[in-house]
Amino acid sequence: MRCPFCRNTDSRVVDSREVEDGQAIRRRRSCSACSRRFTTVEQGVLAVVKRSGVTEPFSRDKVVRGVQRACQGRPVDDDDVQQLAHRVEETVRAAGVAEIPAHEVGLAILGPLRELDEVAYLRFASVYRAFSSVEDFEKEIAELRKATERDPAG
């Protein structure tokens, strides 16, 4: 780890603690050359494997953008979208794997989005599940109605 002040590569760890519910480690370091202290945060990288086989780092911002697109014109608060993205990230990180298929990220989005706004859910599901006909929409709407009948509070 390079010192941000003198660029020396030798530093020692003074203090370590878990942050973000154990998802990262915050380390307080002391540079052996200039004796200044600095903080680093170490976080495991979660990679998403796309259908094409390409791997990219998980991005909460990408989840937010996709959900915002689905919620366009709907009465959905930005804070709710941010909370949904946080829930999705927690869900995929809880899987405990270094690489997760993009399909699993999509599934992690669908559940909370369905609770947030059914129209946005249908929009997202139509793209995610590649609806190709009106029948696909009708089938999904019928499923939503069944779920609502089973749980009228939801």
Side-chain angles (χ1 to χ4, degrees), residues 46-58 62 98-103 105:
L46 176 63
V48 177
V49 182
K50 301 182 116 187
R51 278 185 227 158
S52 64
V54 174
T55 302
E56 64 181 43
F58 175 83
K62 198 168 179 179
E99 291 185 343
I100 188 161
H103 177 75
V105 176

Side-chain angles (χ1 to χ4, degrees), residues 75-112:
V76 175
D77 191 38
D78 280 342
D79 287 342
D80 292 334
V81 173
Q82 291 293 334
Q83 286 177 348
L84 183 145
H86 180 74
R87 281 177 61 190
V88 168
E89 184 172 7
E90 283 182 337
T91 300
V92 295
R93 286 193 184 277
V97 294
E99 291 185 343
I100 188 161
H103 177 75
E104 296 294 323
V105 176
L107 289 176
I109 293 170
L110 283 173

Side-chain angles (χ1 to χ4, degrees), residues 1 7 13 18 25 33 40 46 49 57 59 62 86 101 103 118 121 132-133 135 150:
M1 176 56 55
R7 309 297 292 157
V13 175
E18 286 185 0
I25 298 174
T40 60
L46 176 63
V49 182
S59 168
K62 198 168 179 179
H86 180 74
H103 177 75
E118 290 179 343
Y121 165 80
S132 59
S133 67
E135 288 78 22
R150 284 192 302 263

Side-chain angles (χ1 to χ4, degrees), residues 15-90:
D15 181 45
S16 289
R17 41 183 90 171
E18 286 185 0
V19 291
E20 298 178 24
D21 296 325
Q23 297 298 322
I25 298 174
R26 180 184 165 275
R27 297 195 195 279
R28 198 71 182 129
R29 296 178 178 268
S30 176
C31 176
S32 58
C34 70
S35 300
R36 293 183 74 181
R37 290 186 174 198
F38 58 98
T39 301
T40 60
V41 177
E42 298 174 19
Q43 185 170 17
V45 176
L46 176 63
V48 177
V49 182
K50 301 182 116 187
R51 278 185 227 158
S52 64
V54 174
T55 302
E56 64 181 43
F58 175 83
S59 168
R60 187 188 297 186
D61 291 337
K62 198 168 179 179
V63 171
V64 168
R65 285 193 307 271
V67 171
Q68 283 175 332
R69 232 176 283 128
C71 292
Q72 199 167 1
R74 300 293 303 154
V76 175
D77 191 38
D78 280 342
D79 287 342
D80 292 334
V81 173
Q82 291 293 334
Q83 286 177 348
L84 183 145
H86 180 74
R87 281 177 61 190
V88 168
E89 184 172 7
E90 283 182 337

